[in-house]
Coordinates of all heavy atoms in Angstrom, one line a residue:
S109 N 76.4 -22.4 -17.7 CA 77.8 -22.7 -17.5 C 78.7 -21.5 -17.6 O 79.5 -21.2 -16.8 CB 78.2 -23.8 -18.5 OG 79.6 -24.0 -18.4
E110 N 78.5 -20.7 -18.7 CA 79.3 -19.5 -18.9 C 79.1 -18.5 -17.7 O 80.1 -17.9 -17.3 CB 78.8 -18.7 -20.1 CG 79.3 -19.3 -21.4 CD 78.6 -18.7 -22.6 OE1 77.9 -17.7 -22.5 OE2 78.8 -19.3 -23.7
L111 N 77.9 -18.5 -17.1 CA 77.7 -17.5 -16.0 C 78.2 -18.1 -14.7 O 78.3 -17.3 -13.7 CB 76.2 -17.2 -15.9 CG 75.6 -16.3 -17.0 CD1 74.1 -16.2 -16.9 CD2 76.2 -14.9 -17.0
G112 N 78.5 -19.4 -14.7 CA 79.1 -20.0 -13.5 C 78.2 -20.7 -12.6 O 78.6 -21.1 -11.4
F113 N 77.0 -21.1 -13.1 CA 76.1 -21.9 -12.3 C 76.7 -23.3 -12.1 O 77.4 -23.8 -13.0 CB 74.7 -22.0 -12.9 CG 73.9 -20.8 -12.7 CD1 73.9 -19.7 -13.6 CD2 73.1 -20.6 -11.5 CE1 73.1 -18.6 -13.4 CE2 72.4 -19.5 -11.3 CZ 72.4 -18.4 -12.2
D114 N 76.3 -24.0 -11.0 CA 76.8 -25.4 -10.8 C 75.8 -26.4 -11.4 O 76.2 -27.5 -11.6 CB 76.8 -25.6 -9.2 CG 77.8 -24.7 -8.5 OD1 78.9 -24.7 -8.9 OD2 77.4 -24.1 -7.5
A115 N 74.6 -26.0 -11.6 CA 73.5 -26.9 -12.0 C 72.4 -26.3 -12.7 O 72.2 -25.0 -12.6 CB 73.0 -27.7 -10.8
I116 N 71.5 -27.1 -13.3 CA 70.3 -26.6 -13.8 C 69.1 -27.4 -13.2 O 69.3 -28.5 -12.7 CB 70.1 -26.8 -15.4 CG1 70.3 -28.2 -15.8 CG2 71.1 -25.9 -16.1 CD1 69.8 -28.6 -17.1
E117 N 68.0 -26.8 -13.1 CA 66.7 -27.5 -12.7 C 65.8 -27.5 -13.8 O 65.6 -26.4 -14.4 CB 66.1 -26.7 -11.5 CG 64.8 -27.3 -11.0 CD 64.2 -26.6 -9.9 OE1 64.9 -26.1 -9.0 OE2 62.9 -26.5 -9.8
L118 N 65.3 -28.6 -14.2 CA 64.5 -28.8 -15.4 C 63.0 -28.9 -15.1 O 62.6 -29.6 -14.2 CB 65.0 -30.0 -16.1 CG 64.6 -30.3 -17.5 CD1 65.0 -29.2 -18.5 CD2 65.2 -31.6 -18.0
F119 N 62.2 -28.2 -15.9 CA 60.8 -28.3 -15.9 C 60.3 -28.8 -17.3 O 60.1 -28.0 -18.2 CB 60.2 -26.9 -15.6 CG 58.7 -26.9 -15.3 CD1 58.2 -27.7 -14.3 CD2 57.8 -26.2 -16.1 CE1 56.8 -27.7 -14.0 CE2 56.4 -26.2 -15.8 CZ 55.9 -27.0 -14.8
P120 N 60.2 -30.1 -17.4 CA 59.9 -30.7 -18.7 C 58.4 -30.9 -18.8 O 57.7 -31.1 -17.9 CB 60.6 -32.0 -18.6 CG 60.5 -32.4 -17.2 CD 60.5 -31.2 -16.4
P121 N 57.9 -31.0 -20.1 CA 56.5 -31.3 -20.3 C 56.1 -32.8 -20.0 O 54.9 -33.1 -20.0 CB 56.3 -31.0 -21.8 CG 57.6 -31.0 -22.4 CD 58.6 -30.7 -21.3
G122 N 57.1 -33.6 -19.8 CA 56.9 -35.0 -19.5 C 58.2 -35.8 -19.4 O 59.2 -35.2 -19.7
P123 N 58.1 -37.0 -19.1 CA 59.3 -37.8 -18.8 C 60.1 -38.1 -20.1 O 61.3 -38.5 -20.1 CB 58.8 -39.1 -18.2 CG 57.4 -39.2 -18.6 CD 56.9 -37.8 -18.8
D124 N 59.4 -38.0 -21.3 CA 60.1 -38.4 -22.5 C 60.5 -37.2 -23.4 O 60.9 -37.3 -24.5 CB 59.1 -39.3 -23.4 CG 58.6 -40.5 -22.6 OD1 59.5 -41.1 -21.9 OD2 57.4 -40.8 -22.7
A125 N 60.4 -36.0 -22.8 CA 60.6 -34.8 -23.6 C 62.1 -34.6 -23.9 O 62.4 -34.0 -24.9 CB 60.1 -33.6 -22.8
V126 N 63.0 -35.1 -23.1 CA 64.4 -34.9 -23.3 C 65.1 -36.3 -23.3 O 64.8 -37.1 -22.4 CB 65.0 -34.1 -22.1 CG1 66.5 -33.9 -22.4 CG2 64.4 -32.7 -22.0
E127 N 65.9 -36.5 -24.3 CA 66.6 -37.8 -24.4 C 67.7 -37.8 -23.4 O 68.6 -37.0 -23.4 CB 67.1 -37.9 -25.9 CG 67.1 -39.3 -26.4 CD 68.2 -40.1 -25.8 OE1 69.4 -39.7 -26.0 OE2 67.9 -41.2 -25.2
P128 N 67.7 -38.8 -22.5 CA 68.6 -38.8 -21.4 C 70.1 -38.8 -21.8 O 70.9 -38.0 -21.2 CB 68.4 -40.1 -20.6 CG 66.9 -40.4 -20.9 CD 66.7 -39.9 -22.3
N129 N 70.4 -39.4 -22.9 CA 71.9 -39.4 -23.4 C 72.2 -38.0 -23.8 O 73.4 -37.6 -23.6 CB 72.1 -40.4 -24.5 CG 72.1 -41.8 -24.0 OD1 72.4 -42.0 -22.8 ND2 71.7 -42.7 -24.8
E130 N 71.3 -37.3 -24.5 CA 71.6 -35.9 -24.9 C 71.7 -35.0 -23.7 O 72.6 -34.2 -23.6 CB 70.4 -35.4 -25.8 CG 70.4 -36.1 -27.1 CD 69.7 -35.2 -28.2 OE1 68.7 -34.6 -27.8 OE2 70.1 -35.2 -29.3
L131 N 70.8 -35.2 -22.7 CA 70.9 -34.3 -21.5 C 72.3 -34.6 -20.8 O 72.9 -33.7 -20.4 CB 69.8 -34.7 -20.6 CG 69.8 -33.9 -19.2 CD1 69.8 -32.4 -19.4 CD2 68.6 -34.3 -18.4
R132 N 72.6 -35.9 -20.7 CA 73.9 -36.2 -20.1 C 75.1 -35.5 -20.8 O 76.0 -34.9 -20.2 CB 74.1 -37.7 -20.2 CG 75.4 -38.3 -19.6 CD 75.4 -38.3 -18.1 NE 74.5 -39.3 -17.6 CZ 74.1 -39.4 -16.3 NH1 74.7 -38.6 -15.4 NH2 73.3 -40.4 -16.0
R133 N 75.0 -35.4 -22.1 CA 76.1 -34.8 -22.9 C 76.1 -33.3 -22.7 O 77.1 -32.7 -22.4 CB 75.9 -35.1 -24.4 CG 77.0 -34.6 -25.3 CD 77.1 -35.3 -26.6 NE 75.8 -35.4 -27.3 CZ 75.2 -34.4 -28.0 NH1 75.9 -33.3 -28.1 NH2 74.0 -34.5 -28.5
W134 N 74.9 -32.7 -22.7 CA 74.8 -31.2 -22.5 C 75.3 -30.8 -21.1 O 76.0 -29.8 -20.9 CB 73.4 -30.7 -22.7 CG 72.9 -30.8 -24.1 CD1 73.7 -30.7 -25.2 CD2 71.6 -31.1 -24.5 NE1 72.9 -30.9 -26.3 CE2 71.6 -31.1 -26.0 CE3 70.4 -31.4 -23.9 CZ2 70.5 -31.4 -26.7 CZ3 69.3 -31.6 -24.7 CH2 69.3 -31.6 -26.1
L135 N 75.0 -31.7 -20.1 CA 75.4 -31.4 -18.7 C 76.9 -31.6 -18.6 O 77.7 -30.7 -18.1 CB 74.7 -32.4 -17.7 CG 73.2 -32.2 -17.5 CD1 72.7 -33.3 -16.7 CD2 72.9 -30.8 -16.9
D136 N 77.4 -32.7 -19.1 CA 78.9 -33.0 -19.0 C 79.7 -32.0 -19.8 O 80.7 -31.5 -19.3 CB 79.2 -34.4 -19.6 CG 78.7 -35.5 -18.6 OD1 78.2 -35.2 -17.5 OD2 78.7 -36.7 -19.0
D137 N 79.2 -31.6 -21.0 CA 80.0 -30.7 -21.8 C 80.1 -29.3 -21.1 O 81.0 -28.6 -21.4 CB 79.3 -30.5 -23.2 CG 79.6 -31.7 -24.1 OD1 80.3 -32.6 -23.7 OD2 79.0 -31.7 -25.2
N138 N 79.1 -29.0 -20.3 CA 79.1 -27.7 -19.7 C 79.5 -27.8 -18.2 O 79.3 -26.7 -17.5 CB 77.7 -27.1 -19.9 CG 77.5 -26.7 -21.3 OD1 78.1 -25.7 -21.8 ND2 76.6 -27.4 -22.0
G139 N 79.9 -28.9 -17.7 CA 80.3 -29.0 -16.3 C 79.2 -28.8 -15.3 O 79.4 -28.2 -14.3
L140 N 77.9 -29.2 -15.7 CA 76.8 -28.9 -14.9 C 76.2 -30.2 -14.2 O 76.3 -31.2 -14.8 CB 75.6 -28.3 -15.7 CG 75.9 -26.9 -16.3 CD1 74.9 -26.6 -17.4 CD2 75.9 -25.8 -15.2
A141 N 75.6 -30.0 -13.1 CA 74.8 -31.1 -12.5 C 73.3 -30.9 -12.8 O 73.0 -29.7 -13.2 CB 75.0 -31.2 -11.0
L142 N 72.5 -31.9 -12.6 CA 71.1 -31.7 -12.7 C 70.6 -31.6 -11.2 O 70.7 -32.6 -10.4 CB 70.4 -32.9 -13.4 CG 68.9 -32.7 -13.6 CD1 68.6 -31.6 -14.6 CD2 68.3 -34.0 -14.2
A143 N 70.1 -30.4 -10.8 CA 69.7 -30.2 -9.4 C 68.4 -30.8 -9.1 O 68.2 -31.4 -7.9 CB 69.7 -28.7 -9.2
A144 N 67.4 -30.8 -10.0 CA 66.1 -31.3 -9.7 C 65.3 -31.3 -11.0 O 65.6 -30.6 -11.9 CB 65.4 -30.5 -8.6
V145 N 64.2 -32.0 -11.0 CA 63.2 -32.0 -12.1 C 61.8 -31.8 -11.6 O 61.4 -32.5 -10.7 CB 63.3 -33.3 -12.9 CG1 62.3 -33.3 -14.1 CG2 64.8 -33.6 -13.4
G146 N 61.1 -30.9 -12.1 CA 59.7 -30.6 -11.7 C 58.7 -31.5 -12.3 O 58.9 -32.0 -13.4
T147 N 57.6 -31.7 -11.5 CA 56.6 -32.6 -11.9 C 55.3 -31.8 -12.3 O 54.3 -32.4 -12.7 CB 56.1 -33.6 -10.8 OG1 55.6 -32.9 -9.7 CG2 57.3 -34.5 -10.4
G148 N 55.4 -30.5 -12.2 CA 54.2 -29.6 -12.4 C 53.5 -29.7 -13.7 O 52.3 -29.4 -13.8
A149 N 54.2 -30.2 -14.8 CA 53.5 -30.3 -16.0 C 52.3 -31.4 -16.0 O 51.4 -31.3 -16.7 CB 54.5 -30.7 -17.1
G150 N 52.4 -32.3 -15.0 CA 51.3 -33.2 -14.8 C 50.0 -32.5 -14.5 O 48.9 -32.9 -14.9
W151 N 50.2 -31.4 -13.8 CA 49.0 -30.5 -13.4 C 48.7 -29.6 -14.6 O 47.6 -29.5 -15.1 CB 49.3 -29.7 -12.2 CG 48.3 -28.6 -11.9 CD1 48.7 -27.3 -11.9 CD2 46.9 -28.6 -11.8 NE1 47.5 -26.5 -11.7 CE2 46.4 -27.3 -11.6 CE3 46.0 -29.7 -11.7 CZ2 45.1 -27.0 -11.4 CZ3 44.6 -29.4 -11.5 CH2 44.2 -28.0 -11.4
V152 N 49.8 -28.9 -15.1 CA 49.6 -27.8 -16.1 C 49.0 -28.4 -17.4 O 48.1 -27.8 -18.0 CB 50.9 -27.1 -16.3 CG1 50.8 -26.1 -17.5 CG2 51.4 -26.4 -15.1
R153 N 49.5 -29.6 -17.8 CA 49.1 -30.1 -19.1 C 48.0 -31.2 -19.0 O 47.2 -31.3 -19.9 CB 50.3 -30.8 -19.8 CG 51.5 -29.8 -19.9 CD 52.6 -30.4 -20.8 NE 52.2 -30.5 -22.2 CZ 52.5 -31.5 -23.0 NH1 53.1 -32.6 -22.5 NH2 52.1 -31.5 -24.2
R154 N 48.0 -31.9 -17.9 CA 47.0 -33.1 -17.8 C 46.0 -32.9 -16.7 O 45.2 -33.8 -16.5 CB 47.8 -34.4 -17.7 CG 48.6 -34.7 -18.9 CD 49.6 -35.8 -18.8 NE 48.9 -37.0 -18.4 CZ 49.5 -38.2 -18.0 NH1 50.8 -38.2 -18.1 NH2 48.8 -39.2 -17.6
R155 N 46.1 -31.8 -15.9 CA 45.2 -31.6 -14.8 C 45.1 -32.8 -13.8 O 44.1 -33.1 -13.2 CB 43.7 -31.3 -15.4 CG 43.6 -29.9 -16.0 CD 44.0 -28.9 -14.9 NE 43.8 -27.5 -15.3 CZ 44.9 -26.6 -15.3 NH1 46.1 -27.0 -15.1 NH2 44.6 -25.3 -15.6
L156 N 46.3 -33.4 -13.6 CA 46.4 -34.4 -12.6 C 46.9 -33.8 -11.3 O 47.7 -32.9 -11.3 CB 47.5 -35.4 -13.1 CG 47.2 -36.3 -14.3 CD1 48.4 -37.1 -14.7 CD2 46.0 -37.2 -13.9
H157 N 46.5 -34.4 -10.2 CA 47.1 -34.1 -8.9 C 46.8 -35.2 -7.9 O 46.0 -36.1 -8.2 CB 46.8 -32.6 -8.4 CG 45.4 -32.4 -8.0 ND1 44.8 -32.9 -6.9 CD2 44.4 -31.6 -8.6 CE1 43.6 -32.5 -6.8 NE2 43.3 -31.7 -7.8
L158 N 47.4 -35.1 -6.8 CA 47.4 -36.2 -5.8 C 46.2 -36.3 -5.0 O 46.0 -37.3 -4.2 CB 48.7 -36.2 -4.9 CG 50.0 -36.4 -5.7 CD1 51.2 -36.2 -4.7 CD2 50.1 -37.8 -6.3
C159 N 45.3 -35.3 -5.0 CA 44.1 -35.3 -4.2 C 42.8 -35.3 -5.0 O 41.8 -34.9 -4.5 CB 44.1 -34.1 -3.2 SG 45.5 -34.2 -2.1
L160 N 42.9 -35.8 -6.2 CA 41.6 -35.9 -7.1 C 40.7 -36.9 -6.4 O 41.1 -37.8 -5.8 CB 42.0 -36.4 -8.5 CG 42.8 -35.3 -9.3 CD1 43.4 -35.9 -10.6 CD2 41.8 -34.1 -9.7
P161 N 39.4 -36.6 -6.6 CA 38.4 -37.5 -6.0 C 38.4 -39.0 -6.4 O 38.1 -39.9 -5.7 CB 37.0 -36.9 -6.4 CG 37.3 -35.6 -7.1 CD 38.8 -35.5 -7.3
D162 N 38.8 -39.1 -7.7 CA 38.7 -40.5 -8.3 C 40.0 -41.2 -8.1 O 41.1 -40.7 -8.5 CB 38.3 -40.2 -9.7 CG 38.7 -41.3 -10.7 OD1 38.3 -42.5 -10.4 OD2 39.3 -41.0 -11.7
A163 N 40.0 -42.4 -7.6 CA 41.2 -43.2 -7.3 C 42.0 -43.5 -8.5 O 43.3 -43.4 -8.4 CB 40.8 -44.5 -6.6
A164 N 41.4 -43.7 -9.6 CA 42.2 -44.0 -10.8 C 43.0 -42.8 -11.3 O 44.1 -42.9 -11.7 CB 41.2 -44.5 -12.0
S165 N 42.4 -41.6 -11.1 CA 43.1 -40.4 -11.5 C 44.2 -40.1 -10.5 O 45.3 -39.6 -10.9 CB 42.1 -39.2 -11.5 OG 41.1 -39.4 -12.4
R166 N 44.0 -40.3 -9.2 CA 45.1 -40.2 -8.2 C 46.2 -41.1 -8.6 O 47.4 -40.8 -8.5 CB 44.6 -40.4 -6.8 CG 43.7 -39.4 -6.2 CD 43.6 -39.5 -4.7 NE 43.1 -40.8 -4.2 CZ 41.8 -41.2 -4.2 NH1 40.9 -40.4 -4.6 NH2 41.5 -42.4 -3.7
A167 N 45.9 -42.3 -9.0 CA 46.9 -43.3 -9.3 C 47.7 -42.8 -10.6 O 48.9 -43.0 -10.7 CB 46.3 -44.7 -9.6
E168 N 47.0 -42.2 -11.5 CA 47.6 -41.7 -12.7 C 48.6 -40.5 -12.3 O 49.7 -40.4 -12.8 CB 46.6 -41.1 -13.6 CG 46.8 -41.4 -15.1 CD 45.7 -40.7 -15.9 OE1 44.5 -41.0 -15.7 OE2 46.0 -39.9 -16.8
A169 N 48.2 -39.7 -11.3 CA 49.1 -38.7 -10.8 C 50.4 -39.3 -10.2 O 51.5 -38.8 -10.4 CB 48.4 -37.8 -9.8
R170 N 50.2 -40.3 -9.4 CA 51.3 -41.0 -8.8 C 52.2 -41.6 -9.9 O 53.5 -41.5 -9.8 CB 50.9 -42.0 -7.8 CG 50.2 -41.4 -6.5 CD 50.2 -42.4 -5.4 NE 49.4 -43.6 -5.7 CZ 48.1 -43.7 -5.6 NH1 47.4 -42.7 -5.1 NH2 47.5 -44.8 -5.9
D171 N 51.6 -42.2 -10.9 CA 52.4 -42.8 -12.0 C 53.2 -41.7 -12.7 O 54.4 -41.9 -13.1 CB 51.5 -43.4 -13.0 CG 50.9 -44.8 -12.5 OD1 51.5 -45.3 -11.6 OD2 50.0 -45.3 -13.1
Y172 N 52.6 -40.5 -12.9 CA 53.3 -39.5 -13.6 C 54.5 -39.0 -12.8 O 55.6 -38.9 -13.3 CB 52.4 -38.2 -13.8 CG 53.1 -37.1 -14.5 CD1 53.3 -37.2 -15.9 CD2 53.7 -36.1 -13.8 CE1 54.1 -36.3 -16.6 CE2 54.4 -35.1 -14.5 CZ 54.6 -35.2 -15.9 OH 55.3 -34.2 -16.5
I173 N 54.3 -38.9 -11.5 CA 55.5 -38.5 -10.6 C 56.5 -39.6 -10.6 O 57.7 -39.3 -10.7 CB 55.0 -38.2 -9.2 CG1 54.1 -36.9 -9.2 CG2 56.1 -38.0 -8.2 CD1 53.3 -36.7 -8.0
R174 N 56.1 -40.9 -10.6 CA 57.1 -42.0 -10.7 C 57.9 -41.9 -12.0 O 59.1 -42.1 -12.0 CB 56.4 -43.3 -10.6 CG 56.5 -44.0 -9.2 CD 56.1 -45.5 -9.3 NE 54.6 -45.5 -9.6 CZ 53.7 -45.5 -8.6 NH1 54.0 -45.4 -7.4 NH2 52.4 -45.5 -9.0
S175 N 57.2 -41.5 -13.1 CA 57.9 -41.4 -14.3 C 59.0 -40.3 -14.3 O 60.0 -40.4 -15.0 CB 57.0 -41.2 -15.5 OG 56.4 -39.9 -15.5
I176 N 58.7 -39.2 -13.6 CA 59.7 -38.1 -13.5 C 60.8 -38.6 -12.5 O 62.0 -38.3 -12.8 CB 59.1 -36.8 -13.0 CG1 58.0 -36.3 -14.0 CG2 60.1 -35.7 -12.8 CD1 58.6 -35.9 -15.4
I177 N 60.5 -39.3 -11.5 CA 61.6 -39.9 -10.6 C 62.5 -40.8 -11.4 O 63.7 -40.7 -11.3 CB 60.9 -40.6 -9.4 CG1 60.2 -39.7 -8.5 CG2 62.0 -41.4 -8.7 CD1 59.4 -40.4 -7.4
D178 N 61.9 -41.6 -12.3 CA 62.7 -42.5 -13.1 C 63.6 -41.7 -14.1 O 64.7 -42.2 -14.5 CB 61.8 -43.5 -13.9 CG 61.1 -44.5 -13.0 OD1 61.7 -44.9 -12.0 OD2 60.0 -45.0 -13.4
F179 N 63.1 -40.6 -14.6 CA 63.9 -39.8 -15.5 C 65.0 -39.1 -14.8 O 66.2 -39.1 -15.2 CB 63.0 -38.7 -16.2 CG 63.8 -37.7 -17.0 CD1 64.3 -38.0 -18.2 CD2 64.0 -36.4 -16.5 CE1 65.0 -37.1 -19.0 CE2 64.7 -35.5 -17.2 CZ 65.2 -35.8 -18.4
A180 N 64.7 -38.5 -13.6 CA 65.7 -37.7 -12.9 C 66.7 -38.5 -12.1 O 67.9 -38.1 -11.9 CB 65.0 -36.7 -11.9

Side-chain angles (χ1 to χ4, degrees):
S109 170
E110 282 168 11
L111 290 171
F113 283 94
D114 298 308
I116 57 158
E117 175 181 326
L118 192 60
F119 188 60
D124 305 319
V126 179
E127 214 285 300
N129 289 330
E130 289 200 323
L131 178 57
R132 179 77 66 191
R133 186 160 49 80
W134 294 326
L135 293 171
D136 289 351
D137 286 355
N138 290 290
L140 295 165
L142 186 64
V145 180
T147 63
W151 164 246
V152 173
R153 303 188 73 221
R154 293 172 56 187
R155 286 300 183 245
L156 292 172
H157 67 72
L158 294 173
C159 297
L160 289 167
D162 155 55
S165 304
R166 291 197 302 280
E168 222 181 302
R170 291 198 298 275
D171 284 345
Y172 181 78
I173 292 167
R174 256 192 295 274
S175 75
I176 297 293
I177 293 171
D178 288 332
F179 171 77

